Amino acid sequence: MRRRARPQAGFLLAGLIALAWLGAAACVNFRPAVQPPGLEVESLVVCRNAAFSGGLHVAEGAARTFGLDIPSLFALASLRDIDRGIALRFKWYAPDGVLARDSGPMPVDPGEKYLDKVTAFDRLDFAPGRIEPREGAWTVVLFLDETPADQTSFNIKK
Amino acid sequence: MKPPTQRRQRPGRPARRPRPAPGAAKKFRGAAAFLLTALLTASAAPGAAGPSAGEASAKRAVLRVEAEYIAYSFDRHAFIARNASFDLPPYRVSCGTLRADLSARAFLALGGVVLTREGESLRADALSFDPAASGALLLDYGDSLEARSLTLGAGADAAAAAPPPPAKLRAAEAVSLAAVRGSLLYAVCRSLDITPAYDAFGRDVVLYVEGLESVGFRSLKLSAAEAALSRRPGLSLNSLWFSRDRGIRGRASYSVLDPGRADSLTRLEYEEHSVIKDFPGPARQADLTTDSSWTLRPDLGLGFRGNANTSGLLDARLWLDKSWAQKKLSTRWDLTLSRPVGQPVETWLGLKAAYDAGGAGRLAAAGRLGSAGQAVGDFSYAARLGGNLDFQASSLYTRVRRGADGARSSILDGRLRLSYTSRLFNLASDYHLNADLAEGRTLRSPQLRMESGPLPFYGGLLQAGLSNVFIHNTLGGKGSSSSSYSNNTAFRLSAAPVPLARGLLLDFSLALEQFLEKEGRNFTSGGAVVNLKRRWPAGVTLEGFYSLQSRRRTRGGLLEGTTSQDLSGVLRLQPSEGLNAWVAASYDPKNGRFKQSFADLTLAVIRGWRFHSLLQYDFVLNKLSNVDLYLIRDAGRFELRLMWRSLSRQFLVELLPK
């Protein structure tokens, strides 16, 4: 003889689910979401090359560790919602804290236009006797109007 | 050279920041709200959402962050805040950006960092810290990178306050706005509390599912999904689910985590089967397991492990660890109570001791006494004699209950091993004795093993290896004795890849094996594998394998055996990072027919989603034997998989921690 499912267990399950949904719904509100305050740095990456694609630069060979034989490195920044003129600046620091390269100010002027995305890069060329690719942790800092806005580190190893 | 900056402008847009279209947001709110409440109901601990949770979190927060904009990623358990301010006693801190990886307990304040307290103000470009630690690091990016240590906390010892290690700074740096906004699930708010367990509670939170604005909460434990993915202190409802084959299933756990003092995890699993029609087993089933350890002193520890279920199984073990002389000598007392299903209860009391005598070797001895006259004892000694010689000796005596009539086994097992290791070859001599004292039988088995290291020829173009194993067995008992022996010799030769032309490589390996034994069942085996690989610059590779295996048996001048051949080819395509595909087919040259074929395709779709398919075609049955289709979302610490498998006709949704 086949045993039938107990109907009270089904009611119990339905009740539990309804209670859980009601409990969750009681905490819900419908306020508008907080919006970010204007211009933003979306990302800063160190890569082997900055290629051009779709009107913007894209990182090629992005990594956090590079070999001693690397001839040059790129720092690629991506920014959003540019509605005013700004100045970008990249500073590269060697493992001992010495400033290896300063890009100087790089102005971005949208004029009267609104730019939803901007990419910018700076290149560090290693040259014997000038900028040696020393082993250790290097740091790149992106300045926005002379204020640090993003930073990233990478390692150079044998 | 191209200009260093590139811009993309939306035509006809005014010079202002865009707002999301209200119609589009409303369109997805309903669906996203349904998904979210279901997810949170299933995975959140009790009290995860609601005003009480938020008020409670504020009281015990180690950090309260107020900001113009905070975005928290559920995928990565990390957040980024703009124009933030927070208390880091004894300072009040403000900064342009605060980014934190809560799993790594790493925080980085960046841009215009100002620390103020009564009569004092400090300025820096960056601040690396952990709110639960007393050391922090101030960084300045001027003509050189300068770092200053900072002591936090009212009574903190400046000398003992170590700044965060560089790894923490790297972890916080890796949190970017693009990564947070690219999450499967992220939330935005203006106020966030971090608890001592590094959970995050947000107030007036709006959630985003795959970038689509969805439901908002007055207060929400943002790391609620953490409970489902990893172990959290306190009581957690890990899962509550219904399936048609097992009924209602629930899993809850209670965890205590006090690093260096206590570590306890108790889990309860419950299944209610009565809701399923004609379920063949019991109406319900529960299983309770607990695993706890306490460190009473650095040299004294206590532990308990237990398991009980409604089937009648009971298993409990209590142990006490004690060590002396910087843990060179250690002991463990343990008491075990065990009742397997349908078996009588057994109790065991044991003592285990180990002594590390450094260069003189390591000695270990253990003994256990069980109910009904059972006993187990073992002894082992291992030492390195000089630079290349190793000596190992071990013995084990067991007297345990065998069968239902109360009979007991009595077995003594002993091993001796002396081995020599060098760059050219390894040599090992073993002696194994197994004596069944109750039955009066013994097995003695001396063995000699030799293996040469890979020997290079022709400047490393070829590598050869030879190994040999000789075993002599003597079985004795009740006045009789018999002996047997066997010897197995193996030779391997392999070649490094040889470039035949540009982009064309060939490599091969050969193996030959001869097995001899006293009874005359002798085998000769041989095999060869050839691999040809052709590469083209556009990410296309074609590979071909051919293998030939033969096994022959010689008996009284007769030769019998089998030979098998296999030919297979693989075509790989990887023209870009987003596309990866391969097709493979295997062919049986002996019978002149194809065997089977596989095809695999992985394609990046959008926002971390990728499509993956695996097809298998069977030429013998002449049909597509299986198709697996996956839609996978890489979501930081976990992976969401939607999978369809034709073989079992199943559609599966999986959430896998990485």
Side-chain angles (χ1 to χ4, degrees):
Chain A
M1 188 179 164
R2 300 181 83 183
R3 189 157 57 91
R4 294 186 61 187
R6 293 181 194 175
Q8 63 268 38
F11 284 123
L12 183 70
L13 176 65
L16 279 171
I17 292 171
L19 274 174
W21 281 93
L22 279 171
C27 310
V28 169
N29 70 16
F30 290 93
R31 288 188 190 181
V34 180
Q35 295 299 317
L39 198 152
E40 295 171 350
V41 179
E42 201 173 45
S43 64
L44 174 66
V45 293
V46 178
C47 52
R48 289 172 186 275
N49 189 28
F52 192 63
S53 169
L56 294 167
H57 287 104
V58 289
E60 280 184 349
R64 297 199 81 173
T65 303
F66 300 93
L68 267 174
D69 55 345
I70 191 91
S72 60
L73 283 171
F74 290 74
L76 181 74
S78 174
L79 295 94
R80 290 182 70 92
D81 300 333
I82 295 92
D83 54 2
R84 61 185 165 86
I86 52 168
L88 300 177
R89 187 172 192 159
F90 293 86
K91 286 187 180 178
W92 301 72
Y93 294 95
D96 56 2
V98 170
L99 180 64
R101 178 180 155 75
D102 181 356
S103 71
M106 298 160 60
V108 178
D109 184 10
E112 290 298 307
K113 295 169 186 167
Y114 160 82
L115 301 175
D116 70 336
K117 193 161 185 174
V118 164
T119 53
F121 71 81
D122 186 46
R123 193 170 84 182
L124 174 72
D125 291 316
F126 293 108
R130 210 163 52 84
I131 305 172
E132 301 277 356
R134 268 171 291 172
E135 275 191 89
W138 291 63
T139 304
V140 190
V141 184
L142 172 71
F143 289 76
L144 196 67
D145 293 333
E146 300 303 322
T147 302
D150 204 345
Q151 70 172 64
T152 189
S153 305
F154 61 94
N155 281 303
I156 288 193
K157 283 185 179 174
K158 271 186 187 171
Chain B
M1 189 177 157
K2 287 191 171 76
T5 60
Q6 292 294 332
R7 306 128 186 222
R8 187 171 72 201
Q9 184 200 349
R10 286 181 185 160
R13 293 294 300 267
R16 63 178 173 79
R17 195 159 38 80
R19 293 274 167 187
K26 277 183 186 171
K27 189 177 172 183
F28 294 108
R29 261 194 184 204
F34 179 85
L35 280 170
L36 275 169
T37 43
L39 174 71
L40 293 165
T41 307
S43 64
S52 59
E55 286 156 15
S57 78
K59 284 177 190 165
R60 54 193 166 92
V62 290
L63 191 75
R64 166 173 277 197
V65 181
E66 309 280 349
E68 271 191 66
Y69 176 78
I70 302 172
Y72 169 89
S73 164
F74 284 82
D75 302 12
R76 295 168 188 272
H77 194 32
F79 72 86
I80 188 161
R82 294 284 312 278
N83 298 333
S85 59
F86 51 91
D87 281 324
L88 198 61
Y91 298 100
R92 176 77 183 162
V93 185
S94 64
C95 61
T97 307
L98 173 67
R99 48 185 69 189
D101 182 332
L102 297 176
S103 299
R105 303 184 171 199
F107 293 71
L108 176 67
L110 188 66
V113 180
V114 180
L115 297 93
T116 51
R117 68 172 174 180
E118 286 179 13
E120 188 186 354
S121 175
L122 292 171
R123 288 176 185 276
D125 284 331
L127 169 69
S128 171
F129 68 98
D130 172 355
S134 55
L137 202 64
L138 288 166
L139 300 159
D140 286 296
Y141 302 121
D143 291 338
S144 63
L145 196 163
E146 286 175 13
R148 290 174 279 160
S149 291
L150 181 72
T151 305
L152 303 171
D157 181 3
K168 286 205 174 192
L169 182 63
R170 311 273 172 276
E173 281 177 354
V175 181
S176 68
L177 199 61
V180 172
R181 289 229 189 101
S183 300
L184 175 66
L185 193 65
Y186 76 91
V188 299
C189 58
R190 281 202 169 118
S191 175
L192 191 74
D193 288 344
I194 309 298
T195 70
Y198 290 77
D199 281 324
F201 280 85
R203 276 178 297 282
D204 290 330
V205 171
V206 174
L207 297 176
Y208 284 76
V209 184
E210 213 42 295
L212 302 171
E213 184 180 332
S214 66
V215 72
F217 290 89
R218 277 180 283 159
S219 175
L220 185 69
K221 183 180 177 182
L222 294 174
S223 41
E226 193 83 346
L229 295 169
S230 62
R231 193 178 148 191
R232 314 291 302 160
L235 185 67
S236 302
L237 176 64
N238 302 106
S239 70
L240 184 62
W241 200 248
F242 173 79
S243 68
R244 282 166 58 186
D245 56 337
R246 305 292 299 177
I248 302 169
R249 303 170 72 181
R251 193 153 57 90
S253 65
Y254 183 75
S255 174
V256 176
L257 268 173
D258 187 356
R261 288 185 181 176
D263 186 344
S264 173
L265 178 65
T266 303
R267 281 186 288 200
L268 175 68
E269 294 192 23
Y270 181 80
E271 289 187 8
E272 180 64 46
H273 305 141
S274 64
V275 292
I276 303 192
K277 202 174 176 182
D278 302 327
F279 186 80
R284 55 196 58 84
Q285 190 175 320
D287 189 279
L288 181 71
T289 56
T290 183
D291 191 349
S292 305
S293 63
W294 298 271
T295 305
L296 308 175
R297 286 199 318 246
D299 60 342
L300 190 66
L302 190 67
F304 178 74
R305 189 173 293 157
N307 179 209
N309 67 22
T310 49
S311 306
L313 179 141
L314 179 68
D315 205 357
R317 187 170 173 228
L318 179 72
W319 68 90
L320 179 76
D321 289 330
K322 175 83 176 92
S323 63
W324 292 269
Q326 284 85 42
K327 300 196 175 177
K328 278 188 177 173
L329 176 63
S330 59
T331 56
R332 169 173 282 192
W333 284 96
D334 74 291
L335 180 66
T336 307
L337 182 75
S338 171
R339 188 180 65 194
V341 178
Q343 299 281 324
V345 177
E346 279 190 4
T347 312
W348 289 83
L349 177 67
L351 172 64
K352 188 171 156 185
Y355 179 63
D356 188 349
R362 185 177 166 81
L363 188 69
R368 300 181 80 203
L369 287 174
S371 51
Q374 299 180 96
V376 175
D378 69 73
F379 161 86
S380 71
Y381 174 73
R384 170 151 279 203
L385 312 170
N388 304 83
L389 211 56
D390 283 289
F391 175 73
Q392 290 172 29
S394 66
S395 71
L396 170 70
Y397 173 74
T398 52
R399 191 176 68 205
V400 294
R401 194 160 48 196
R402 193 168 56 185
D405 59 350
R408 287 194 294 267
S409 68
S410 181
I411 293 172
L412 177 68
D413 190 276
R415 285 170 196 270
L416 285 173
R417 182 182 174 93
L418 188 65
S419 62
Y420 176 80
T421 311
S422 75
R423 202 169 53 84
L424 284 177
F425 70 94
N426 304 326
L427 189 67
S429 168
D430 292 67
Y431 183 80
H432 178 210
L433 168 72
N434 186 280
D436 187 333
L437 303 176
E439 302 286 335
R441 283 197 301 257
T442 57
L443 172 69
R444 293 183 180 85
S445 176
Q447 303 176 10
L448 187 66
R449 295 165 189 272
M450 189 276 290
E451 186 180 14
S452 75
L455 300 170
F457 297 100
Y458 302 111
L461 191 66
L462 291 176
Q463 278 196 338
L466 186 70
S467 65
N468 192 79
V469 179
F470 175 78
I471 302 172
H472 186 271
N473 294 320
T474 305
L475 189 65
K478 296 185 179 168
S480 64
S481 173
S482 65
S483 71
S484 65
Y485 60 82
S486 66
N487 190 81
N488 194 59
T489 309
F491 172 74
R492 284 175 188 82
L493 183 72
S494 60
V498 182
L500 299 177
R502 189 175 171 171
L504 185 64
L505 290 170
L506 169 77
D507 65 87
F508 70 91
S509 62
L510 299 169
L512 195 65
E513 203 165 319
Q514 178 64 53
F515 177 79
L516 300 169
E517 68 169 7
K518 187 184 176 186
E519 286 79 12
R521 289 172 301 204
N522 303 332
F523 286 97
T524 305
S525 311
V529 177
V530 180
N531 181 16
L532 198 64
K533 188 185 278 187
R534 177 79 170 93
R535 280 192 185 136
W536 285 273
V540 181
T541 310
L542 180 65
E543 281 184 67
F545 302 91
Y546 173 73
S547 79
L548 171 72
Q549 304 292 331
S550 179
R551 187 173 167 86
R552 302 276 149 188
R553 188 167 77 162
T554 49
R555 196 172 209 182
L558 291 171
L559 197 67
E560 58 185 32
T562 57
T563 301
S564 66
Q565 294 180 66
D566 189 56
L567 182 65
S568 58
V570 184
L571 177 67
R572 298 177 199 277
L573 298 166
Q574 194 174 12
S576 66
E577 284 187 10
L579 175 64
N580 190 346
W582 56 264
V583 182
S586 60
Y587 180 75
D588 182 356
K590 193 175 169 184
N591 297 308
R593 67 181 182 201
F594 279 98
K595 290 197 285 191
Q596 55 185 355
S597 171
F598 295 91
D600 185 289
L601 172 74
T602 305
L603 183 68
V605 187
I606 191 170
R607 282 184 68 89
W609 286 91
R610 66 180 193 274
F611 171 76
H612 182 198
S613 70
L614 179 64
L615 282 76
Q616 185 181 352
Y617 188 84
D618 194 321
F619 287 96
V620 179
L621 300 171
N622 216 15
K623 69 168 192 176
L624 205 60
S625 51
N626 189 33
V627 179
D628 286 350
L629 299 175
Y630 302 85
L631 201 54
I632 302 166
R633 174 61 158 92
D634 184 0
R637 295 168 301 139
F638 59 92
E639 205 171 68
L640 176 67
R641 288 174 164 218
L642 312 175
M643 182 170 83
W644 186 75
R645 176 164 283 180
S646 73
L647 197 66
S648 51
R649 295 188 179 278
Q650 274 182 317
F651 179 76
L652 300 170
V653 180
E654 293 178 326
L655 192 65
L656 304 169
K658 289 207 289 193

